[in-house]
């Protein structure tokens, strides 16, 4: 007979950082500066989701998908949550090279204490600026350069406060152009169905009820989701 006795295992306690949120008089100016930096960091973190959305490919993708949903006339399908999720995963797919470069050149050296915070911010902004400038029209960029009053602007060293709004309006224009191209075939179907119903004297029958199955059939036959997603992804390369 073997007797097995369970022995309690003493796990090593995990080191937990000591966080002190007490408010009191500062002992040195350095503590005041650190406190101000902490408040600024918390403010930036609260705005981080909006910032990440506006400086990535998410804007163009979600606007095009919204136009597509409206053009098909299917109000409840697919749900908005599905479209947002698809837009997020496509954004991650498109932005992966940029995120990888930021991680290698800025985040990892900063975590290893090889560079300070200022240099890490400069290194992190460079790949993001390159991505945005590649998608920004010269006309939109020149608009914000003239409004900001930047003298002797160099494209590669423009401040993000100038590049980001130019990038956003360029993305909106591109998304509206793609949405217009998506709208055309569905609009033609609506016009044909409305003309047929009008010629048959069916004034009380909404054309949307008849055209919706034909629009869905057309979208499925041409493999619409494949074409839309491929066009969106390839538009960033």
């Amino acid at each position: 007979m073997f007797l097995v006795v369970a022995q309690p295992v003493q796990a090593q306690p995990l080191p937990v950082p000591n966080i002190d949120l007490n408010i009191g008089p500062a002992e040195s100016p350095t503590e005041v500066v650190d406190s101000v930096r902490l408040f600024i960091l918390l403010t930036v973190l609260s705005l981080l989701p909006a910032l990440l959305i506006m400086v990535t490919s998410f804007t163009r993708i979600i606007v095009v998908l919204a136009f597509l949903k409206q053009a098909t006339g299917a109000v409840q399908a697919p749900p908005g949550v599905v479209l947002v999720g698809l837009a997020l995963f496509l954004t991650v797919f498109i932005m992966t090279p940029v995120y990888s470069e930021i991680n290698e050149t800025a985040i990892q050296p900063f975590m290893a204490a090889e560079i300070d915070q200022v240099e890490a911010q400069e290194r992190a902004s460079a790949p993001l600026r390159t991505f945005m400038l590649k998608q920004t029209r010269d006309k939109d960029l020149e608009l914000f350069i003239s409004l900001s009053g930047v003298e002797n602007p160099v494209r590669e060293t423009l401040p993000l406060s100038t590049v980001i709004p130019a990038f956003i309006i360029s993305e909106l224009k591109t998304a509206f152009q793609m949405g217009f191209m998506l709208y055309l075939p569905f609009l033609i179907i609506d016009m044909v169905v409305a003309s047929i119903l009008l010629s048959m004297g069916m004034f009380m029958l909404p054309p949307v009820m008849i055209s919706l199955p034909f629009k869905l059939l057309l979208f499925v036959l041409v493999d619409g989701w494949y074409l839309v997603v491929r066009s969106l992804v390839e538009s960033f390369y």
Side-chain angles (χ1 to χ4, degrees):
M1 297 294 293
F2 293 95
L3 181 62
V4 180
V5 180
Q7 295 290 338
V9 179
Q10 299 294 332
Q12 294 294 331
L14 296 175
V16 180
N18 184 18
I19 302 176
D20 188 7
L21 299 179
N22 294 327
I23 300 176
E27 298 179 357
S28 64
T30 305
E31 294 185 0
V32 178
V33 174
D34 293 338
S35 300
V36 172
R37 287 180 177 177
L38 177 60
F39 283 117
I40 294 176
L41 178 61
L42 293 177
T43 304
V44 172
L45 289 177
S46 64
L47 300 175
L48 188 60
L51 292 175
L52 291 178
I53 287 175
M54 300 309 293
V55 300
T56 60
S57 58
F58 182 84
T59 302
R60 182 189 305 184
I61 296 172
I62 194 63
V63 172
V64 171
L65 293 180
F67 272 119
L68 175 62
K69 182 179 179 179
Q70 187 175 4
T72 56
V75 181
Q76 301 296 332
V81 177
V82 176
L83 294 182
V84 172
L86 176 61
L88 285 174
F89 279 104
L90 289 178
T91 300
V92 172
F93 178 80
I94 294 171
M95 300 298 296
T96 295
V98 180
Y99 294 154
S100 299
E101 185 176 355
I102 293 175
N103 182 59
E104 294 175 1
T105 60
I107 298 179
Q108 294 301 326
F110 177 72
M111 297 297 292
E114 298 176 359
I115 58 176
D116 56 8
Q117 182 178 354
V118 176
E119 186 175 355
Q121 293 175 353
E122 293 178 355
R123 291 189 180 185
S125 62
L128 198 59
R129 183 189 295 110
T130 302
F131 169 80
M132 289 189 292
L133 288 175
K134 185 179 179 181
Q135 307 299 328
T136 305
R137 292 177 172 84
D138 294 335
K139 181 181 179 181
D140 299 330
L141 189 61
E142 291 173 358
L143 170 63
F144 286 95
I145 289 176
S146 61
L147 292 176
S148 61
V150 179
E151 298 181 357
N152 300 323
V154 179
R155 188 179 179 90
E156 290 74 15
T157 59
L158 286 173
L160 292 180
S161 58
T162 302
V163 177
I164 292 177
F167 169 74
I168 293 173
I169 63 174
S170 293
E171 287 293 280
L172 289 176
K173 183 177 181 179
T174 303
F176 272 63
Q177 290 175 344
M178 298 180 70
F180 172 75
M181 298 302 297
L182 286 173
Y183 235 105
L184 283 180
F186 299 112
L187 180 61
I188 294 174
I189 294 177
D190 284 332
M191 294 176 62
V192 171
V193 171
S195 300
I196 294 175
L197 292 178
L198 186 63
S199 64
M200 296 176 63
M202 298 181 179
F203 302 101
M204 303 303 294
L205 184 62
V208 178
M209 294 180 58
I210 307 301
S211 62
L212 179 58
F214 292 100
K215 289 190 288 187
L216 294 179
L217 179 62
L218 173 65
F219 193 70
V220 171
L221 289 178
V222 300
D223 201 359
W225 288 112
Y226 170 83
L227 295 176
V228 171
V229 170
R230 189 185 70 175
S231 300
L232 283 170
V233 174
E234 291 181 349
S235 65
F236 289 95
Y237 295 100

